[in-house]
Amino acid sequence: MAEHKHAQTIRRYFDACNAADYDALVSCFTPDAVHYFPDGLPEIPWRTADTIARKWQWCVANLGSQWTIEKILVSHDSNEAVIEWTHWKSKLGTALRGDEWYIFDKDTGLISEIRAYYASPAKQDVTINELVAFDYEGRGYHLTPLEA
């Protein structure tokens, strides 16, 4: 069975993030897309495909950011999906785990909205921000970033 088109778009988006590929990033979004984040980050939400692409390019260049997808669930009756991810920040020696809720444009299939939820506060004094006592290894989650 072929993977759902929304899951394919999310995977293409993460590949573009990891490559810091501006054109590939922009091609995943409607021009007026919005990416929402929890409180505590500067200049949020990110509005427009251009802004989202440039901010992720900045994260790769300045934080050594790489992302892994842990799980993807696509709705059977709406243009929505939810994923779990890990954001590896190699230049800081830290990682952050979380979920994102995606909304896709019904006509184009492009991402029109992302709402990010963190597994825990983005604490600066811990190596990996993640859920306390959750068996990441036992459930098959990545424990190190993918090789670049």
Side-chain angles (χ1 to χ4, degrees), residues 58-92:
W58 183 93
C59 288
V60 170
N62 293 281
L63 305 176
S65 293
Q66 290 289 288
W67 295 265
T68 50
I69 296 171
E70 308 301 345
K71 308 280 184 205
I72 298 178
L73 296 173
V74 177
S75 174
H76 72 282
D77 64 353
S78 69
N79 286 307
E80 298 175 292
V82 65
I83 73 166
E84 279 188 292
W85 47 260
T86 304
H87 178 180
W88 305 95
K89 302 173 187 179
S90 64
K91 291 185 180 180
L92 302 178

Side-chain angles (χ1 to χ4, degrees), residues 11-148:
R11 289 189 192 284
R12 186 166 56 89
Y13 165 53
F14 270 67
D15 288 345
C17 285
N18 287 329
D21 183 328
Y22 176 85
D23 291 331
L25 279 160
V26 169
S27 76
C28 296
F29 291 93
T30 60
D32 61 347
V34 181
H35 195 320
Y36 296 96
F37 295 90
D39 192 18
L41 297 175
E43 302 173 1
I44 56 173
W46 295 348
R47 297 182 186 279
T48 76
D50 172 72
T51 298
I52 294 166
R54 292 185 190 286
K55 295 290 189 177
W56 287 139
Q57 285 183 306
W58 183 93
C59 288
V60 170
N62 293 281
L63 305 176
S65 293
Q66 290 289 288
W67 295 265
T68 50
I69 296 171
E70 308 301 345
K71 308 280 184 205
I72 298 178
L73 296 173
V74 177
S75 174
H76 72 282
D77 64 353
S78 69
N79 286 307
E80 298 175 292
V82 65
I83 73 166
E84 279 188 292
W85 47 260
T86 304
H87 178 180
W88 305 95
K89 302 173 187 179
S90 64
K91 291 185 180 180
L92 302 178
T94 64
L96 177 66
R97 297 197 193 271
D99 292 341
E100 287 177 338
W101 194 277
Y102 287 75
I103 302 198
F104 297 86
D105 179 76
K106 67 179 178 58
D107 296 322
T108 65
L110 298 175
I111 301 165
S112 61
E113 179 181 290
I114 302 174
R115 297 187 311 268
Y117 301 93
Y118 295 166
S120 61
K123 294 178 69 177
Q124 299 299 316
D125 61 342
V126 297
T127 303
I128 298 180
N129 281 279
E130 57 191 2
L131 296 171
V132 174
F134 183 82
D135 186 10
Y136 288 98
E137 182 175 19
R139 297 216 189 169
Y141 284 70
H142 293 87
L143 300 178
T144 60
L146 296 175
E147 295 298 319

